[in-house]
Amino acid sequence: MSVPTEPPAAATGHEPPLPAAAKRPAILAVDDEPAVLAAVARDLRRGFGERFRVLRATSGIEALEVLRELRKRGDLAAMLIADQRMPGMPGTQYLVEARKIVPDAKRVLLTAYADTEAAIAAINTAALDYYLLKPWDPPEEQLFPVVADLLTTWEAGAALASGGVRVIGHRFSKETHDLRDFLARNRVPARWLDVERDGEARELLQVAGVDPDRLPVALLEDGSVLERPTILELAERLGVTSAPAQDHYDLVVVGGGPAGLAAAVYGASEGLKTVMVEREAPGGQAGQSSRIENYLGFPAGLSGSDLARRATDQARRLGAELLTVQEAVRLRAEGAGRLVELSGGGVLSASCVLVASGVSYRQLDTPGFAELTGAGVYYGAALTEARACADQHVVVIGGANSAGQAAVYFSGYAGKVTMLVRGPSLAKSMSHYLIEQIAALPNVEVRAGTTTIAAESDGGHLARLRVQGPDGEETLGADACFVFIGASPRTDWLAGVVARDERGFILAGRDAQTAGWPLSREPFMLETTVPGVFVAGDVRARSIKRVASAVGEGSMAVSLIHEYLADA
């Protein structure tokens, strides 16, 4: 069929096919009321017509045919906007079917006020990104900001998927996985080519003259070929790392998770010379979350990577410096100055330091797991592996929110997801909304009271897990295993400098006052046993392990730092 488009005013018919180079991603609007459909298309064309083609359909069935035609022609669909009340196929049902054809397109539902319950339910059933109430007048306030934000997010993802860096390697190679994960988490546009499955990968190796035993290989946009590069080497070649621009800062933030990013945003916005140091990628552990459903102000939820991208852009726009692939290795207090030594040999001088270094997933010491890490066994969500798990059996170990979010996410790709939970149920460790989502997924099985005894390999990658459950020991075939068994604080670099509890979490406020506080005044609420050194987020003792609380502590710390500097 011919793909329809929004014609110019007073014109009818179909847009003639565009040359391949001129094709723009499509926004497809669906409504059975001609006047409403024309108004939607008119406003979309006015706001976004320069970068996107605006297509129309009068029913869900017609729209699905349009999407199939787009896929057949290799065109991209950026956004689907559908009315809820359509005869034959409601908007929510259409969006569910459309997701199977164009899974990456943003999905928006048009509703009347009376249909808001259906729209809210569609957030789960149709993976809805947003719903808009009709009428959306004026569009400059009610329509354009929402659509622009969703399209920006879509474009960021599309750029990553079609990017210039090409990584060639084996799927079950720890070195390959680490490179892919680094590029994805730092939002570097890149393509992954499996040497065992992609003929293009083998052709590129031959053209580049690279021996297959030198994998992984990174092919850069400037023509450079990096054989078995380390993450630091790749980061330096891509310009991801950077040197500090100042000799002295008001505030050094160590850690780029939600707490650190919030501190960078508020510090820079309030006039402090601020630099943030992150050892891996902005977002921290939360940046690996597939979906954060309960973050205030995002009714459809958002991914950890999306939250990290938004916060990173915001911090940079407000003037904060961000140093990535840099690790703090030591803290020193010299007079009124606070010095942070970096793994690359540099030293950051500051008046104040905020420690927001977060936590790392605890490693399983079960036989086989260490050897298979990166080769079928992963710690955290490892979202780069999701597409490779299509129709496979994925095992998730753990029973808290991170494990639940991963199980829901991988259920959209894997044939089956099995959760192994040590406790008697999910109720004590997981949010109620996640428990309900998991219970509604037909391809997710929860095995309570079950622990893992060993991981076994086949050809160097994970093949089986031996588990102990209520009915005894058994063996599960497994293509991939993702582990979420708690976290350990990243505070070894502070040993002997600031006081920590028995598990390594940093003491602050009243806890710091009784653990060696050196001054006559009381410490500020988030101040450690070293005056001028503050702590926020998961790394703080007694903290609430939630993204929102980490953001709150990061912003609160900046207010306390202002008080400290005013009294200094």
Side-chain angles (χ1 to χ4, degrees), residues 27 44 47-48 51-52 79 81 106 108 132 139-140 142-156 309-310:
I27 300 173
L44 291 172
F48 309 96
R51 292 185 295 134
F52 297 89
M79 179 177 289
I81 300 180
K106 296 298 178 183
V108 177
L132 289 168
E140 289 79 7
Q142 304 296 331
L143 179 69
F144 292 170
V146 171
V147 173
D149 184 61
L150 291 173
L151 289 176
T152 298
T153 302
W154 178 86
E155 286 180 310
R309 175 186 63 81
R310 293 166 182 264

Side-chain angles (χ1 to χ4, degrees), residues 31-55:
D31 199 304
D32 65 310
E33 296 184 33
V36 176
L37 182 59
V40 174
R42 178 199 66 221
D43 288 342
L44 291 172
R45 189 176 69 253
R46 182 159 64 90
F48 309 96
E50 291 186 3
R51 292 185 295 134
F52 297 89
R53 287 187 294 160
V54 178
L55 310 181

Side-chain angles (χ1 to χ4, degrees), residues 373-388:
T373 297
V377 171
Y378 309 98
Y379 289 89
L383 304 185
T384 51
E385 302 296 330
R387 294 187 187 276

Side-chain angles (χ1 to χ4, degrees), residues 348-559:
L348 296 174
S349 171
S351 301
C352 290
V353 171
L354 175 66
V355 178
S357 47
V359 296
S360 300
Y361 285 111
R362 190 172 295 125
Q363 308 287 297
L364 258 180
D365 57 5
T366 303
F369 274 78
E371 296 81 358
L372 293 172
T373 297
V377 171
Y378 309 98
Y379 289 89
L383 304 185
T384 51
E385 302 296 330
R387 294 187 187 276
C389 294
D391 302 322
Q392 295 185 341
H393 183 201
V394 168
V395 175
V396 174
I397 299 177
N401 277 7
S402 295
Q405 290 163 352
V408 171
Y409 180 75
F410 284 112
S411 71
Y413 297 89
K416 181 179 180 181
V417 177
T418 300
M419 294 189 69
L420 304 181
V421 182
R422 183 174 58 182
S425 72
L426 295 173
K428 287 188 176 181
S429 56
M430 188 178 293
S431 295
H432 181 67
Y433 78 89
L434 266 177
I435 296 174
E436 288 190 326
Q437 284 187 30
I438 290 168
L441 293 170
N443 62 336
V444 177
E445 177 189 11
V446 179
R447 294 195 174 195
T450 303
T451 57
T452 309
I453 299 172
E456 299 175 348
S457 65
D458 184 3
H461 58 83
L462 177 68
R464 294 169 298 279
L465 293 174
R466 285 197 286 120
V467 302
Q468 179 73 45
D471 299 325
E473 182 179 326
E474 63 177 303
T475 299
L476 298 178
D479 298 292
C481 176
F482 300 88
V483 183
F484 305 83
I485 57 166
S488 302
R490 290 175 170 170
T491 58
D492 289 347
W493 63 286
L494 294 167
V497 181
V498 301
R500 302 177 294 165
D501 67 13
E502 66 279 0
R503 296 182 297 162
F505 291 92
I506 298 172
L507 302 177
R510 290 183 179 178
D511 291 332
Q513 189 170 13
T514 59
W517 175 250
L519 303 182
S520 57
R521 70 165 176 86
E522 292 185 359
F524 292 108
M525 185 183 301
L526 299 177
E527 197 169 14
T528 72
T529 51
V530 177
V533 176
F534 295 77
V535 61
D538 289 0
V539 74
R540 182 180 68 84
R542 302 178 189 268
S543 67
I544 299 172
K545 306 301 188 284
R546 289 290 184 270
V547 172
S549 62
V551 170
E553 288 188 13
S555 57
M556 185 195 307
V558 172
S559 296

Side-chain angles (χ1 to χ4, degrees), residues 55-312:
L55 310 181
R56 293 182 294 175
T58 57
S59 70
I61 293 173
E62 180 187 346
L64 293 175
E65 282 300 311
V66 172
L67 294 177
R68 292 187 186 100
E69 185 69 17
L70 288 173
R71 280 291 304 269
K72 189 173 14 174
R73 289 163 44 168
D75 294 346
L76 296 176
M79 179 177 289
L80 313 177
I81 300 180
D83 183 54
Q84 169 60 7
R85 291 192 178 187
M86 294 188 294
M89 180 180 287
T92 49
Q93 183 183 346
Y94 154 69
L95 291 174
V96 169
E97 296 301 317
R99 189 184 183 198
K100 300 173 185 177
I101 304 171
V102 285
D104 297 324
K106 296 298 178 183
R107 290 168 289 278
V108 177
L109 193 68
L110 294 177
T111 70
Y113 181 77
D115 294 326
T116 53
E117 288 297 325
I120 292 171
I123 290 173
N124 291 331
T125 58
L128 193 67
D129 291 294
Y130 212 91
Y131 70 88
L132 289 168
L133 294 177
K134 297 186 293 185
W136 52 89
D137 187 56
E140 289 79 7
E141 296 179 13
Q142 304 296 331
L143 179 69
F144 292 170
V146 171
V147 173
D149 184 61
L150 291 173
L151 289 176
T152 298
T153 302
W154 178 86
E155 286 180 310
L160 293 178
S162 62
V165 178
R166 290 166 292 179
V167 176
I168 302 173
H170 297 278
R171 177 190 170 191
F172 296 110
S173 157
K174 183 181 186 305
E175 293 77 14
T176 301
H177 167 76
D178 289 347
L179 290 182
R180 293 170 59 204
D181 197 53
F182 164 76
L183 292 170
R185 295 188 62 199
N186 282 278
R187 305 197 66 80
V188 176
R191 286 179 59 211
W192 147 242
L193 298 169
D194 188 340
V195 72
E196 295 174 356
R197 299 182 181 181
D198 297 314
E200 182 185 355
R202 294 187 289 273
E203 291 174 10
L204 286 171
L205 289 179
Q206 188 173 8
V207 170
V210 177
D211 195 283
D213 64 3
R214 297 292 299 167
L215 298 180
V217 168
L219 307 178
L220 308 188
E221 288 185 285
D222 63 4
S224 302
V225 179
L226 304 182
E227 300 179 15
R228 302 175 71 175
T230 65
I231 288 177
L232 183 58
E233 289 170 343
L234 183 59
E236 289 175 344
R237 290 298 299 271
L238 294 173
V240 174
T241 58
S242 57
Q246 308 279 345
D247 294 327
H248 184 82
Y249 294 88
D250 298 314
L251 172 61
V252 170
V253 180
V254 179
L261 285 167
V265 166
Y266 281 91
S269 70
E270 295 178 12
L272 297 178
K273 289 193 295 184
T274 303
V275 62
M276 188 187 82
V277 182
E278 168 53 43
R279 67 193 293 266
E280 293 175 348
Q285 192 181 63
Q288 296 177 278
S289 175
S290 54
R291 203 75 182 165
I292 303 169
E293 301 274 10
N294 55 358
Y295 192 63
L296 186 66
F298 291 85
L302 78 168
S303 69
S305 63
D306 192 27
L307 176 63
R309 175 186 63 81
R310 293 166 182 264
T312 300

Side-chain angles (χ1 to χ4, degrees), residues 316-368:
R316 286 187 169 129
R317 180 177 64 82
L318 292 169
E321 287 184 46
L322 274 62
L323 307 181
T324 55
V325 202
Q326 295 268 20
E327 186 169 7
V329 295
R330 191 183 175 200
L331 173 68
R332 289 186 284 127
E334 294 185 358
R338 303 292 178 261
L339 305 176
V340 176
E341 298 180 11
L342 304 177
S343 54
V347 178
L348 296 174
S349 171
S351 301
C352 290
V353 171
L354 175 66
V355 178
S357 47
V359 296
S360 300
Y361 285 111
R362 190 172 295 125
Q363 308 287 297
L364 258 180
D365 57 5
T366 303

